Amino acid sequence: MATYKAPKTISKRSELRKDAATTAFVRVQDALSRYRRYLTYSGIGVMALAVIIVSYIFIQRTRTAQANEHLGGISLYYERGEYRTALDGSGENLGLIDIIEQYGSTSAGNMARFYAADATFRLGEYDQALEWFEEYKGSGDMLEASALDGQASIFEMREQFEEAGDLYERAAAVYENALRSPEYLKKAARVYKKAEEYAKAEEVLLLIREQYPDSELAGDVDFHLGFVRARMK
């Protein structure tokens, strides 16, 4: 016959909890003892990584400061329209090309790419200009829109009209502006017409009318819509 077992008292339960805690502590101590070497190496690795990160941040800040100083020194020639000197340097100041090569990973080096792209574009060196426009890393601002516009202009000159139209549209969208965006869209419509892509031309013209009705360019939209629609029939 089975016998009734009385429930353990509170004090008994407390003792059991202490025994369990003691057992767990002993197991943790044993694990630490067995894996102490690996944990030490891991700690050293974390410390080394932290030193590398801090050093990298310090070096990048130093390089950014240097690049900004060089960019400020040569920007005067760019603003004067002395584009070759701006690119190659003045003797006392690094040129945009050297800034790109030596400080390309910094924000100032990135800005130098844009200025170099614009300078070479104005000098008629379109292949190099396109390369730097494409390498410029924008942040959804006016300069990114201008870089896309520069790329589009080069593709248009090459009579690659569809590619140009796509880039003009991206320029209009990446930095929406009541003055610049309608201009980019009108350029897109122009090159789509050259490519005989009349449906795409119609689409961007409608965007001007719908999104920028107060733009000066909106007044010409109906004329251009009539032109492209007549050719779509």
Side-chain angles (χ1 to χ4, degrees):
M1 181 176 178
T3 58
Y4 174 74
K5 294 182 180 179
K8 297 178 177 68
T9 62
I10 294 176
S11 60
K12 186 66 173 179
R13 290 175 184 169
S14 178
E15 289 175 7
L16 290 171
R17 288 196 192 100
K18 289 180 180 177
D19 289 343
T22 302
T23 302
F25 177 76
V26 170
R27 287 177 178 172
V28 170
Q29 288 287 88
D30 181 59
L32 287 172
S33 176
R34 283 187 288 123
Y35 296 106
R36 189 183 306 277
R37 188 193 328 174
Y38 304 106
L39 291 171
T40 301
Y41 291 156
S42 177
I44 292 172
V46 170
M47 290 178 62
L49 179 61
V51 170
I52 290 170
I53 292 172
V54 171
S55 299
Y56 174 79
I57 292 172
F58 176 77
I59 291 170
Q60 278 297 97
R61 285 179 179 174
T62 302
R63 284 169 53 76
T64 297
Q66 292 171 345
N68 276 318
E69 184 176 349
H70 290 307
L71 186 60
I74 204 64
S75 63
L76 178 63
Y77 296 95
Y78 172 86
E79 292 169 1
R80 287 176 178 172
E82 299 177 33
Y83 300 119
R84 181 56 61 195
T85 302
L87 288 164
D88 296 338
S90 63
E92 297 179 356
N93 300 103
L94 286 182
L96 294 169
I97 296 173
D98 285 330
I99 295 172
I100 293 168
E101 291 178 350
Q102 297 182 33
Y103 302 97
S105 63
T106 67
S107 57
N110 186 48
M111 185 66 70
R113 285 191 187 91
F114 178 84
Y115 288 134
D118 186 65
T120 48
F121 181 91
R122 293 173 186 273
L123 291 171
E125 300 170 9
Y126 301 119
D127 290 341
Q128 182 60 73
L130 180 61
E131 181 179 333
W132 279 325
F133 274 136
E134 290 176 339
E135 290 179 357
Y136 172 73
K137 298 176 180 64
S139 56
D141 55 9
M142 184 172 63
L143 283 184
E144 183 176 1
S146 296
L148 290 167
D149 178 51
Q151 294 176 54
S153 298
I154 295 170
F155 279 108
E156 184 176 359
M157 285 187 288
R158 293 176 175 176
E159 299 186 356
Q160 296 175 254
F161 299 124
E162 288 189 65
E163 292 87 344
D166 177 67
L167 287 163
Y168 282 133
E169 285 194 76
R170 286 172 58 192
V174 74
Y175 177 72
E176 292 191 26
N177 178 277
L179 294 176
R180 304 292 294 274
S181 292
E183 293 179 3
Y184 295 143
L185 290 173
K186 186 175 182 181
K187 290 180 179 180
R190 182 186 67 220
V191 294
Y192 283 143
K193 285 191 291 184
K194 291 180 179 179
E196 299 183 356
E197 292 286 346
Y198 299 118
K200 290 184 177 180
E202 179 188 36
E203 183 179 346
V204 293
L205 288 168
L206 289 172
L207 278 177
I208 296 174
R209 188 165 71 180
E210 293 169 4
Q211 296 185 8
Y212 306 99
D214 298 327
S215 168
E216 294 182 2
L217 300 177
D220 297 331
V221 165
D222 290 334
F223 172 81
H224 293 291
L225 279 172
F227 179 90
V228 298
R229 284 171 175 170
R231 282 150 183 79
M232 290 169 63
K233 294 179 180 178

